[in-house]
Amino acid sequence: MAIKLVETGFSIIPEGAYIFKIVEVEYKQDFGKMIVTLATKKGMKQIERYSLVKSNGEANEGAMKAFSFFAKTALNDFSLEEIDENDLVGCFVKGTIEHDRRESTKDPDKMVTFTKLTNLEPALGFEESEPATGDPLDALDDL
């Protein structure tokens, strides 16, 4: 007997440069967890997670620096000293999605793909087009 499957809505964003809108920010202050949900114009989502506090309760300096850079870039103001996390909602950033494929920590026989958002810079909106998906050579037909 076959079981009909439905669209899950999840797919890995292909590598390339994108403009993202920050659509949700969740800060779990008791645990020091910051979760930022970004979306492309086409609705593809990227989630950035920051563990701002270590398990021993100390500040995680590396994560604090990474989040601070992200927030200052999104708000296009590098003089900021503090923000409310909700200030980020509606802001835009431009960045590059890169894939990192590695062995699963749960099952060494499986490979998993992680996405990284790099080369961040401020963006004013969805003013630039997103990369074409599929075979890059197909884009040459449009020339």
Side-chain angles (χ1 to χ4, degrees), residues 105-126:
T105 56
K106 296 178 182 174
D107 183 352
D109 294 331
K110 291 185 180 178
M111 295 296 287
V112 293
T113 300
F114 293 92
T115 58
K116 292 190 309 186
L117 181 58
T118 63
N119 303 321
L120 281 178
E121 58 185 77
L124 297 175
F126 293 122

Side-chain angles (χ1 to χ4, degrees), residues 11-23 38-46 92-97 117 123 125-136 138-139 142:
S11 64
I12 293 178
I13 297 177
E15 289 187 315
Y18 294 89
I19 293 178
F20 292 94
K21 181 177 183 179
I22 299 171
V23 294
L38 305 107
T40 66
K41 187 175 184 176
K42 294 180 182 177
M44 294 184 289
K45 291 191 176 174
Q46 170 74 11
F92 291 85
V93 294
K94 182 177 180 179
T96 303
I97 292 290
L117 181 58
F126 293 122
E127 75 273 3
E128 298 176 33
S129 64
E130 296 178 356
T133 55
D135 186 346
D138 290 342
D142 296 335

Side-chain angles (χ1 to χ4, degrees), residues 22 66-78 80 88 91-94 119-123:
I22 299 171
F67 175 71
S68 295
F69 179 78
F70 177 87
K72 289 176 178 188
T73 300
L75 293 164
N76 198 18
D77 186 347
F78 288 87
L80 293 171
L88 296 171
C91 292
F92 291 85
V93 294
K94 182 177 180 179
N119 303 321
L120 281 178
E121 58 185 77

